[in-house]
Amino acid sequence: MPKAFSSEVDAGSREESASKRKSEYDVAVVGGGLLGSAIAWGLGRLGKKVAVLDEGDITKRASRANFALVWVQSKGLGMPAYTVWTVRASEAWGRLASELKQQTGLDVCLQQNGGFHLTLGEDEFGQRTELVKRMHNQAGAADYKMEMLSASEVKKSLPLIGPEVSGGSYCPLDGHVNSLRTFRAFHTGFKAFGIDYFPERPVSAISKSGGEFRLTTPEGELRAAKIMLAAGNANQTLAPMVGLYAPMGPTRGQIVVTERTVPFLPHPLTTIRQTDEGTVMIGDSKEDELDDRTLKHSISAVMTDRAQRMFPHLSRLNVVRSWAGIRVMPQDGFPIYDQSETHPGAFVACCHSGVTLASNHAFDIARMVAQGALEPELVGAFSASRFGGAGAANNSGY
C-alpha cells in the first residue's frame, strides 16, 4: 500500500474513531446558580449523564440578589409570550416543590396563595391601574387574573397596612419560596442523580471537534455531547464561542433583612416578604452600578421608609443585615433561549427570574435539551434574533 494512501486511511480511521468515541458527559451545564442547577437537575431526572461547571463562590452570583418570589403579575408587558411562559411556571411550581421534597426530604417552603403590589398615594394607584389595563389588553397574553383593589379591600387580607396605602394589585398565582433551600435541594438532588458538580471551574474556551464539545477549564478539558450555557451575565462572553448571542444588561439591587418577628404578612409583596423563618426582607432598588462590594445607605433608607409607610409596625424592628448583589438581566428584560445552528448541540438560557422560572427550566428546558432541540414556539418567542444586528445574525450562520 502506498505510504501516502496509508496515511490518509490512518487519518480517516482516527477521525472515525474520534466521532464514535463516547463523550465524558451527555450534557455539560456551564453555570451552577439557580438557573443552571434547575436545568442540570432536570437533565439528571431524565437519566442523562451531566456535569455542572461552576465558577464558585468568587463569582457575582445573582442568587445573592434574588428576592425568592414566584411572581406572575406585571411580567411580560411588551412580550405576551412571556406572560404565557410565566403562568406556566407558576402552575408547575407545586409539582417541582413536591418532587424535590420527595427526593431530598427538603421542604422549599412554597407559599402560593397570591401576592400584592401596594401603592402609596393616588398617583401610584392610578399608574398601577393603567399598567394592569395594558397587561389585560395585550393580544396573546395569558390570563393573569390580576386585579386592582382599593385600600379597604387590601386591608381584608393585609390588616396591618398603614394609612398611606391607597390600594394595589393582586394576583392569585403569585407566591414565594425559600430560595436558599431550593438551591440546596437541587444540589442534594445532583448526588442522587449522579450529576458531577465541579466548583471553581470557570470555562475560558469552548470548541467542537469530532462531534463533541471541549470545554477548557483551569483543571483541564472536559468533553460533552451537548452544552447548556446558563452562566448568567457571563453568557455574553461564552455564547459567541458557539455561534450564539446573549446581550446582557445587568443591574444591581440592595436587600435589607430585619430581625424575626411574629407572622403578620400572609401574602408576599413585590418588595416586602416575610420568610418562613420570620424575618422580613425588603428589596426595592434597581441601580446601573455593578460594584456589589459596598452599600448605598441613601437607597436603603428610601427602601425601608417605603416599607414602614406600608406597614408602620416595621419601624420597631431592627435591621440585622443588608447587602448588594448583581442581577442577571438580558438587555430588554425578557428571557433568552436559543440553540446554535453553527454548533449543533449548544444551547443558551438567560433570564432575570431564576426563581419563578425554575419549574420550567427543570421540566421543560431540560427535556428539550435532552431531546436535542428547543421547541419552535420557544425559539420564536425568546431567540436573541429579536435584538437584530450583527450579533444576532451570527446565530443564523456565519
Side-chain angles (χ1 to χ4, degrees):
M1 182 182 291
K3 185 175 182 181
F5 182 71
S6 177
S7 297
E8 290 175 7
V9 171
D10 290 345
S13 297
R14 286 194 297 272
E15 180 65 27
E16 182 181 2
S17 175
S19 65
K20 289 183 177 179
R21 182 175 59 202
K22 183 173 176 62
S23 299
E24 292 178 277
Y25 295 95
D26 296 321
V27 187
V29 177
V30 183
L34 197 53
L35 171 60
S37 295
I39 296 172
W41 181 86
L43 287 163
R45 176 177 170 272
L46 297 173
K48 300 301 177 182
K49 188 176 182 182
V50 182
V52 178
L53 298 169
D54 193 10
E55 236 183 322
D57 286 338
I58 60 169
T59 191
K60 295 181 182 294
R61 288 191 184 279
S63 301
R64 295 187 178 122
N66 85 65
F67 206 57
L69 296 177
V70 177
W71 211 246
V72 170
Q73 66 171 295
S74 75
K75 286 184 177 178
L77 183 61
M79 183 183 277
Y82 188 30
T83 71
V84 177
W85 187 239
T86 304
V87 169
R88 180 172 170 175
S90 172
E91 293 174 344
W93 242 104
R95 174 186 168 199
L96 176 61
S98 177
E99 288 201 21
L100 286 173
K101 186 173 183 179
Q102 183 177 6
Q103 182 197 33
T104 68
L106 293 169
D107 184 357
V108 299
C109 302
L110 174 66
Q111 176 188 322
Q112 211 166 6
N113 61 340
F116 288 84
H117 176 97
L118 299 186
T119 59
L120 296 173
E122 294 308 315
D123 287 347
E124 285 190 14
F125 186 84
Q127 292 167 11
R128 190 68 180 179
T129 300
E130 181 59 30
L131 182 143
V132 170
K133 288 180 181 178
R134 291 171 64 192
M135 292 293 299
H136 281 305
N137 290 339
Q138 282 195 116
D143 182 9
Y144 272 1
K145 301 178 176 62
M146 181 169 58
E147 60 179 331
M148 290 299 297
L149 301 176
S150 66
S152 61
E153 290 172 317
V154 169
K155 201 173 183 66
K156 294 175 184 177
S157 298
L158 304 174
L160 295 182
I161 59 172
E164 291 187 67
V165 173
S166 50
S169 57
Y170 170 77
C171 176
L173 302 178
D174 291 335
H176 60 153
V177 300
N178 184 317
S179 57
L180 291 178
R181 196 172 298 171
T182 301
F183 186 72
R184 180 185 167 195
F186 279 137
H187 279 252
T188 301
F190 285 0
K191 297 177 183 178
F193 288 142
I195 295 171
D196 288 335
Y197 173 69
F198 298 110
E200 299 181 13
R201 293 277 190 98
V203 173
S204 57
I206 307 171
S207 62
K208 191 174 186 183
S209 175
E212 65 182 1
F213 291 92
R214 301 187 178 191
L215 299 91
T216 302
T217 79
E219 300 297 322
E221 188 178 82
L222 183 142
R223 297 180 291 110
K226 300 172 188 170
I227 59 171
M228 163 53 78
L229 302 180
N233 295 314
N235 278 349
Q236 185 161 274
T237 301
L238 295 170
M241 297 179 186
V242 288
L244 290 165
Y245 182 48
M248 307 299 289
T251 62
R252 190 179 94 146
Q254 294 186 186
I255 292 177
V256 172
V257 179
T258 74
E259 62 185 316
R260 290 179 175 85
T261 186
V262 296
F264 77 97
L265 193 53
H267 300 267
L269 276 61
T270 317
T271 58
I272 307 172
R273 57 180 287 262
Q274 186 168 26
T275 70
D276 56 283
E277 298 172 336
T279 60
V280 180
M281 291 186 71
I282 301 167
D284 192 9
S285 72
K286 181 179 178 181
E287 308 161 62
D288 292 332
E289 183 178 336
L290 298 181
D291 183 355
D292 62 354
R293 295 171 297 178
T294 60
L295 288 171
K296 288 188 175 179
H297 295 294
S298 59
I299 291 176
S300 296
V302 172
M303 289 164 48
T304 53
D305 176 67
R306 283 187 61 86
Q308 291 176 64
R309 290 163 66 193
M310 291 179 181
F311 297 96
H313 78 285
L314 290 179
S315 61
R316 302 194 297 267
L317 300 180
N318 293 312
V319 170
V320 294
R321 62 186 182 276
S322 59
W323 66 91
I326 307 304
R327 298 189 180 109
V328 172
M329 187 69 72
Q331 274 187 7
D332 63 359
F334 300 124
I336 298 171
Y337 303 107
D338 248 334
Q339 57 195 19
S340 177
E341 295 185 14
T342 61
H343 297 67
F347 301 86
V348 66
C350 313
C351 76
H352 168 59
S353 301
V355 176
T356 299
L357 299 177
S359 55
N360 284 355
H361 296 151
F363 296 134
D364 298 312
I365 296 298
R367 171 180 51 79
M368 295 177 204
V369 172
Q371 292 172 348
L374 300 179
E375 293 174 354
E377 296 80 5
L378 193 77
V379 177
F382 299 113
S383 169
S385 61
R386 68 181 185 265
F387 294 98
N394 286 345
N395 189 39
S396 299
Y398 61 91

